[in-house]
Amino acid sequence: MASDNVSVFREGLLAGQVGLVTGGGSGIGLGISELLAALGMHVVIASRKPEHFEAARERIAAAGGAVSSVALDVRDQARVREVVDGVTQQHGRLDLLVNNAAGNFYAPSATLSPNAWKAVVEIDLYGTFHCSQAVYPAMKAQGGGRIVSTSMTLHYRGWPQMAHATAAKAGVDALTRTLAVEWAPERIRVNAIAPGPIPTEGVRKAFTPPAESGIPDRFAVADQQMDAYAQQRIPLGRWGTPRDIANMVAYLASPAGDWITGSIFVIDGGEWLARQ
Ligand code: HXC
């Protein structure tokens, strides 16, 4: 049973903190933004699409959360710095960066265009670095902070037609470990989360592999078969939810995360270990 509506965290756990969530207006990012705000953090949603971040801001504000939003493409390093500087000037601090923004699609490596490669690597890997580098001065000045980046599990073995994304996420893993060690003296904890299959609307749209590819489609099964599919393919017997992922981010942002850095948390119901 999923536990979407149950918070295991105490009320006000993250009160007084300020967090920036890239891609925080939809899918997993929205789940993260909602939980952090529900726990008292002021959440700044940074995303490319106004239709995503405006709707998310209204929804979180209506639920009583402290939230603001800003337009950001994480590929634009100058804009990343401008946004981060704006947040720290307005709030006087920045406690948490969640590098959640990602862009992926299935495409054969043999014909992947240079621009297609670049688009995904720039969002997933360069974007993570740009944002992490941009928050460093503020986190250092305030005596510490937390960075949580979004990885995946598809690169643990290999996932055809996703060379761009798997390469980028392997880079995110490396970056996580390196920055964790390099920035530990500044008390900046750097960790990553690796979500398993979470059938959000955006993911289901983006990840229906071409029928002729022979790649197993983890999402595009008929809705009435979703439960049966999960029971068969995911050891813990159900699909993941944004809340499953958000819980780990909240944990890492809390004092429980004080001694955790350089870790990559797989949150997938055991899916990758059992993958055929
Ligand atoms: C082949 C493609 C393509 C596709 C885009 N391109 N989609 N090539 N197959 N399906 C190529 C384009 O032709 C172009 O190359 C280049 O990529 C850039 O495309 P643009 O559309 O101009 O880029 P942009 O508007 O910046 O869009 C970025 C994007 C897009 C990554 C391409 O898909 C995006 O914004 N996605 C965000 C949402 C998303 O993907 N979410 C999923 C995250 S979930 P040319 O050569 O023509 O110029 C997740 C979980 C993974 O990551 C789970 C896996 C199962």
Side-chain angles (χ1 to χ4, degrees):
M1 196 183 86
S3 46
D4 261 11
N5 298 314
V6 181
S7 178
V8 298
F9 302 102
R10 76 168 159 78
E11 212 180 310
L13 177 69
L14 305 177
Q17 290 198 30
V18 178
L20 177 66
V21 184
T22 68
S26 62
I28 293 173
L30 176 58
I32 293 170
S33 299
E34 287 184 314
L35 181 59
L36 295 175
L39 295 173
M41 179 179 280
H42 182 106
V43 176
V44 182
I45 296 173
S47 121
R48 269 187 300 165
K49 298 183 183 157
E51 68 268 25
H52 284 167
F53 65 70
E54 280 166 11
R57 189 191 60 224
E58 283 165 18
R59 184 173 149 142
I60 293 171
V67 61
S68 47
S69 58
V70 61
L72 175 66
D73 185 331
V74 295
R75 291 173 284 194
D76 182 345
Q77 191 173 22
R79 176 71 184 146
V80 166
R81 284 175 191 263
E82 195 176 277
V83 164
V84 168
D85 289 350
V87 172
T88 50
Q89 272 162 25
Q90 190 180 346
H91 296 277
R93 59 186 305 107
L94 181 50
D95 301 281
L96 174 70
L97 164 68
V98 183
N99 286 308
N100 167 79
N104 303 326
F105 48 79
Y106 279 108
S109 300
T111 52
L112 190 68
S113 78
N115 201 34
W117 167 269
K118 183 168 178 266
V120 169
V121 175
E122 277 196 345
I123 297 171
D124 294 13
L125 180 57
Y126 284 41
T128 296
F129 184 68
H130 291 157
C131 294
S132 302
Q133 195 182 46
V135 302
Y136 173 84
M139 288 187 177
K140 179 183 178 186
Q142 73 195 14
R146 318 253 160 140
I147 297 174
V148 181
S149 300
T150 306
S151 184
M152 56 159 59
T153 62
L154 302 185
H155 55 293
Y156 292 175
R157 287 187 180 149
W159 198 256
Q161 302 204 10
M162 216 176 268
H164 44 0
T166 51
K169 296 294 190 176
V172 168
D173 290 358
L175 198 54
T176 298
R177 295 189 174 109
T178 294
L179 295 183
V181 176
E182 194 172 329
W183 292 352
E186 284 80 36
R187 299 295 177 259
I188 301 171
R189 285 83 167 172
V190 187
N191 294 290
I193 46 176
I198 299 185
T200 59
E201 220 23 61
V203 165
R204 289 183 70 167
K205 253 190 244 158
F207 291 98
T208 303
E212 67 278 12
S213 69
I215 297 168
D217 184 347
R218 302 194 297 169
F219 301 113
V221 291
D223 278 343
Q224 69 270 25
Q225 294 172 348
M226 288 287 283
D227 286 352
Y229 182 90
Q231 277 161 24
Q232 196 190 342
R233 302 292 285 269
I234 301 171
L236 285 182
R238 68 163 172 85
W239 296 91
T241 66
R243 176 57 69 87
D244 288 318
I245 308 306
N247 281 334
M248 180 54 79
V249 178
Y251 183 93
L252 291 170
S254 80
D258 274 359
W259 210 50
I260 303 176
T261 199
S263 293
I264 298 161
F265 295 90
V266 174
I267 305 161
D268 75 339
E271 193 255 358
W272 91 266
L273 286 169
R275 195 178 294 155
Q276 302 288 314

